[in-house]
Amino acid sequence: MCGIIGYTGRRRALPILLEGLRRLEYRGYDSAGVALVSDHKVEVIKAAGRIYVLEQQIDPHMPQTHGLGHTRWATHGAPTDINAHPHTDAENRIAIIHNGIIENNRVLRTYLEQLGATFRSETDTEILAQLIAHFYEGDLEHAVRRALHDVTGTYGIAVVCADEPGVIVAARKGSPLIVGVGKGEHLLASDAAAILAHTTQVVYLDDGEMARITPDELRMTTLDAIPVARGAEEVEWSLEQIELSGYDHFMQKEIFEQPDSLENCLRGRLDLNEGAVRLGGLVDCTRELTRAKRIVMTGCGTAWHAALVGEYLFEELVRIPTETEYASEFRYRNPIVDDGTVVIAVSQSGETADTLAALREAKQRGALTLGVVNVVGSTIARESDEGVFLHVGPEIGVASTKAFTGQVAVLAMIACYLGRRKHLSPSAALQFMDALAQIPEQMRRLLDRADEAETIAHHFHDRENWLYLGRGYNYPVALEGALKIKEIAYIHAEGLPAAEMKHGPIALITKGMPVVVIATAGVQYEKILSNISEVRSRGGSVVAIATEGDSDIKQLADHVLYVPDTVEPLQPLLTSLPLQLIAYHAAVQRGCNVDKPRNLAKSVTVE
Ligand code: G6P
């Protein structure tokens, strides 16, 4: 949600901070600000709105070499100039930026008010600034540590003080923070994208840890002042991957990247000669996994849809009872975690608050936990017992696309890996792997005809209500198609298992209402044709997603978009692409901000 960047070194901080803020923009925000330190003075400039609004208010030549920057997503207090970060203490000596929520903020506020404090903003963060100042006696690190002992809630914070040139103190509990290690400089960020232009060497902070950085030194400790020794790791992502490279939007770029991103995801993992799936991250828990009695998949949003495909895959290939749970529900409903329960957390960012909490709940109850995560070094990746990375590269567009296909592909590989150790015959496994290996090329072919989806979007983009129907493996795809068009085109849409339409939603169908039906070849093909007829007889306009070569469907549907043929369990890897394209083009034609849809954030690190 909020984005954090800090710099201390020998170069001018302002351009580095502003560039970092721009790179964090994709996470969603409503105000931004910077604090720059020099000559025993902290200067804070902040403004509601986009980064350019902030830039208009700053002298671009500010010389300081030490400072903080923040993009805020309002939780406590409206998105105004005053509520924007950084916040300072009453004397403007200490400035802080914060991602998270201080839960006991009212108690702390009352306590400070009794001591005579007054507050300028409505934020919990200003309370923390004043609390740190209250404990400050010449040692910022000590004051931050002391203040945090009185705080309950979640935070990733960075703090500077007018009297400590070059020093940034950071602490983390529940919100990601990394330190970038450069030559004669250190950076601090909530997300590697913010600092990639300067260094690929990063040190990850764990929950309950603090860092004190100066240009030449990084010192890490726990909140209780126990030293922490941890080396830097190389971030695999490149600068090019986080730039638009000629595309209009990141979402568009990421849709078209899918043949390559999926190739990267599969690389080295499908051994077609031996008929074996190779997943290094599962080697140490294979025995335990094959003995599992029950598997729970969990995640939020698009990741939850991918998990639902995973549930179908696991039940078919592994034959272990599998269920998919929204992470937000799992974490609070006293879940049954028996001996033999495995919990798989699916997440692009690896930082989603509910998914992380579900993972911790499962771990605490003794489950073996796996992470299916894209961001290496993220909290879920670090805290799950074992796991498999997506390796689809950075996803910047708020609406998830290439991460969805990566998640489905990884779950398919895990299913095949475990299936072979249970009931799946070598020939069936090989056939499945062979089909999976062909998907990137099939995606390429499909994307060559992307203009057909654009035509559909052009035709229907002014309709405010859509239905998406699918059966079996394509039911989660129907949910995902509806979510995409809601998220970025602000069109109301519902995704349904096709047969459920008769139990209520059919009442919604009026003349010309777009109904997207995934009608690819498979065991339920005849059934879905009946559903198409039902929609047509009520006047709905059917857009069918069908298998190449199916010419009969043209008689039934108003429009047909073809996808290459593959085995049923892998169809979501292809059928999801036309739905992503329809949503993308509908959003463009409706004039929506595709990469920064209203009210949404890329990474939801608060509840
Ligand atoms: C947000 C994003 C979605 C994403 C979901 C889960 O809602 O807007 O695109 O699917 O979070 O994110 P995760 O990083 O855990 O996959």
Side-chain angles (χ1 to χ4, degrees):
M1 312 248 356
C2 304
I4 282 178
I5 169 120
Y7 176 82
T8 174
R10 290 168 176 87
R11 293 187 284 160
R12 284 204 311 118
L14 185 64
I16 295 167
L17 298 177
L18 289 175
E19 188 213 338
L21 292 181
R22 273 191 293 270
R23 299 226 186 254
L24 291 169
E25 271 193 299
Y26 77 94
R27 298 167 64 99
Y29 69 96
D30 45 44
S31 54
V34 293
L36 291 151
V37 194
S38 69
D39 301 331
H40 296 277
K41 208 166 98 196
V42 178
E43 266 189 79
V44 172
I45 305 123
K46 52 191 191 173
R50 298 255 178 250
I51 308 287
Y52 70 85
V53 181
L54 173 71
E55 277 178 283
Q56 282 162 0
Q57 300 180 25
I58 302 183
D59 166 9
H61 307 295
M62 287 173 85
Q64 296 89 330
T65 57
H66 173 208
L68 305 175
H70 188 264
T71 51
R72 172 173 188 252
W73 181 265
T75 52
H76 282 67
T80 58
D81 292 357
I82 293 278
N83 287 338
H85 296 212
H87 287 280
T88 56
D89 68 315
E91 324 263 83
N92 292 330
R93 309 299 297 161
I94 286 171
I96 177 172
I97 53 178
H98 169 217
N99 182 9
I101 294 173
I102 306 297
E103 281 160 11
N104 60 338
N105 67 83
R106 281 197 209 92
V107 179
L108 294 174
R109 189 178 178 118
T110 311
Y111 169 71
L112 290 166
E113 276 168 351
Q114 279 161 1
L115 296 174
T118 54
F119 293 90
R120 291 171 280 218
S121 77
E122 303 156 64
T123 66
D124 50 350
T125 307
E126 189 190 354
I127 297 167
L128 195 48
Q130 300 227 26
L131 192 65
I132 294 168
H134 171 68
F135 289 117
Y136 186 73
E137 287 171 343
D139 179 346
L140 184 62
E141 186 182 354
H142 180 265
V144 172
R145 194 188 309 284
R146 178 62 195 83
L148 290 178
H149 272 154
D150 292 346
V151 163
T152 55
T154 57
Y155 48 80
I157 56 167
V159 194
V160 291
C161 174
D163 302 314
E164 301 195 25
V167 176
I168 301 176
V169 174
R172 120 158 227 186
K173 189 176 158 217
S175 297
L177 275 184
I178 57 174
V179 176
V181 184
K183 285 200 179 70
E185 61 187 20
H186 279 106
L187 296 105
L188 181 84
S190 48
D191 181 330
I195 57 172
L196 260 184
H198 309 288
T199 180
T200 52
Q201 291 294 307
V202 303
V203 181
Y204 297 95
L205 261 73
D206 277 342
D207 268 356
E209 289 180 353
M210 293 179 64
R212 179 184 185 278
I213 59 175
T214 62
D216 298 307
E217 194 196 20
L218 159 64
R219 200 165 73 202
M220 281 170 60
T221 52
T222 64
L223 286 174
D224 297 320
I226 298 162
V228 173
R230 186 170 307 132
E233 295 173 40
E234 175 84 17
V235 182
E236 287 171 13
W237 293 350
S238 67
L239 201 54
E240 195 186 45
Q241 286 177 300
I242 57 167
E243 287 178 342
L244 273 172
S245 317
Y247 285 92
D248 294 333
H249 301 99
F250 281 108
M251 182 183 179
Q252 182 193 27
K253 179 183 177 220
E254 286 155 9
I255 291 173
F256 282 91
E257 261 173 11
Q258 287 175 108
D260 293 340
S261 63
L262 208 73
E263 244 158 30
N264 290 335
C265 171
L266 303 179
R267 182 162 297 124
R269 289 167 163 177
L270 300 178
D271 184 339
L272 295 173
N273 294 324
E274 296 283 319
V277 174
R278 309 216 179 277
L279 297 169
L282 299 189
V283 170
D284 291 342
C285 63
T286 303
R287 248 169 95 86
E288 212 178 323
L289 273 176
T290 46
R291 291 176 182 185
K293 296 199 183 70
R294 177 171 159 255
I295 293 173
V296 179
M297 309 238 182
T298 193
C300 303
T302 291
W304 186 84
H305 295 154
L308 197 54
V309 179
E311 175 184 319
Y312 283 51
L313 275 161
F314 271 57
E315 293 219 337
E316 183 166 345
L317 272 64
V318 194
R319 309 296 300 154
I320 294 177
T322 306
E323 65 213 69
T324 306
E325 286 242 29
Y326 285 112
S328 53
E329 290 297 315
F330 180 85
R331 63 180 291 195
Y332 284 121
R333 68 175 194 84
N334 197 9
I336 299 170
V337 176
D338 288 337
D339 217 21
T341 301
V342 173
V343 173
I344 305 185
V346 183
S347 172
Q348 187 285 126
S349 62
E351 301 294 351
T352 301
D354 281 323
T355 312
L356 177 59
L359 177 91
R360 287 177 177 161
E361 185 67 33
K363 252 183 115 165
Q364 203 200 339
R365 288 171 189 245
L368 171 69
T369 56
L370 301 189
V372 170
V373 170
N374 193 32
V375 180
V376 177
S378 60
T379 313
I380 293 175
R382 293 158 67 77
E383 292 196 13
S384 40
D385 295 312
E386 309 288 341
V388 181
F389 285 113
L390 307 185
H391 291 315
V392 296
E395 189 179 70
I396 309 283
V398 168
S400 188
T401 52
K402 64 175 180 173
F404 174 77
T405 44
Q407 286 156 348
V408 170
V410 164
L411 291 169
M413 286 190 283
I414 302 177
C416 189
Y417 178 88
L418 294 179
R420 265 304 282 124
R421 286 157 178 82
K422 306 269 295 181
H423 312 277
L424 206 60
S425 70
S427 61
L430 197 60
Q431 196 196 358
F432 184 80
M433 287 165 57
D434 204 40
L436 187 51
Q438 287 179 39
I439 298 281
E441 209 37 58
Q442 292 180 316
M443 283 178 160
R444 259 178 214 116
R445 235 168 60 214
L446 202 167
L447 289 169
D448 282 344
R449 296 196 311 263
D451 54 332
E452 294 170 14
E454 186 175 355
T455 309
I456 301 290
H458 193 72
H459 199 80
F460 291 114
H461 73 271
D462 58 345
R463 313 291 161 86
E464 296 301 330
N465 290 293
W466 296 42
L467 281 185
Y468 285 75
L469 307 179
R471 284 172 174 262
Y473 285 97
N474 283 312
Y475 154 51
V477 178
L479 297 180
E480 177 59 8
L483 178 64
K484 287 284 88 78
I485 207 159
K486 278 187 267 204
E487 279 179 308
I488 54 161
Y490 316 142
I491 287 173
H492 173 251
E494 270 196 64
L496 297 167
E500 279 299 302
M501 181 184 63
K502 283 199 287 293
H503 300 289
I506 198 165
L508 295 171
I509 298 176
T510 50
K511 193 163 167 24
M513 177 184 191
V515 181
V516 180
V517 186
I518 306 153
T520 37
V523 288
Q524 300 197 63
Y525 178 70
E526 295 298 331
K527 307 265 177 225
I528 205 109
L529 292 188
S530 310
N531 298 131
I532 292 180
S533 301
E534 284 157 10
V535 172
R536 286 292 301 275
S537 63
R538 268 106 192 148
S541 291
V542 172
V543 178
I545 312 295
T547 303
E548 279 173 358
D550 178 357
S551 47
D552 294 347
I553 203 156
K554 285 191 189 148
Q555 322 300 322
L556 283 177
D558 298 272
H559 306 269
V560 184
L561 295 175
Y562 286 107
V563 295
D565 193 17
T566 185
V567 296
E568 268 193 273
L570 299 177
Q571 285 179 357
L573 294 171
L574 299 171
T575 52
S576 54
L577 269 58
L579 306 195
Q580 296 168 352
L581 286 164
I582 291 174
Y584 171 74
H585 287 293
V588 171
Q589 283 166 27
R590 288 164 72 96
C592 303
N593 189 341
V594 175
D595 286 331
K596 297 183 199 76
R598 74 180 175 216
N599 308 340
L600 295 179
K602 180 70 183 156
S603 184
V604 182
T605 55
V606 293
E607 270 185 64

